[in-house]
Amino acid sequence: MMPFTVTGAFDDGATYTVQITGRADRPVIGSHRAAALVELHQGETVALSPTGPMTTANGGDEASVLAVLREYTNVLKEGGKTPRWPRVP
């Protein structure tokens, strides 16, 4: 199975490419700065898509990690297997 890869840029123009791992202890690999950003926003509420639903950012949840990257960076490209959305009550 192919990992989910995200390429994006921070507000200052610096770019990154990461793989979303689905592991709570290491949600992304490939960029220390993107990993720190995901860690910083753990536990916050983020939208899984522009129109919702909302969920809590959790490093073990691939969809919420992607949502954090979409919210706080300019995601330029996504590829690989699509992260599964968690069930929202």
Side-chain angles (χ1 to χ4, degrees):
M1 189 164 35
M2 197 170 150
F4 192 77
T5 304
V6 177
T7 300
F10 296 99
D11 287 343
D12 64 3
T15 60
Y16 67 88
T17 298
V18 295
Q19 289 181 356
I20 298 177
T21 66
R23 293 176 32 204
D25 64 325
R26 193 168 182 196
V28 297
I29 55 174
S31 166
H32 293 291
R33 189 170 172 191
L37 177 75
V38 170
E39 184 177 333
L40 177 68
H41 294 287
Q42 293 284 320
E44 292 182 8
T45 302
V46 292
L48 293 173
S49 73
T51 58
M54 304 298 282
T55 191
T56 302
N58 173 350
D61 173 19
E62 295 170 326
S64 73
V65 170
L66 177 58
V68 168
L69 293 174
R70 286 177 177 159
E71 177 76 22
Y72 296 102
T73 70
N74 181 19
V75 172
L76 305 170
K77 183 177 178 183
E78 301 172 14
K81 70 175 183 69
T82 304
R84 292 181 49 178
W85 284 20
R87 292 184 145 228
V88 178

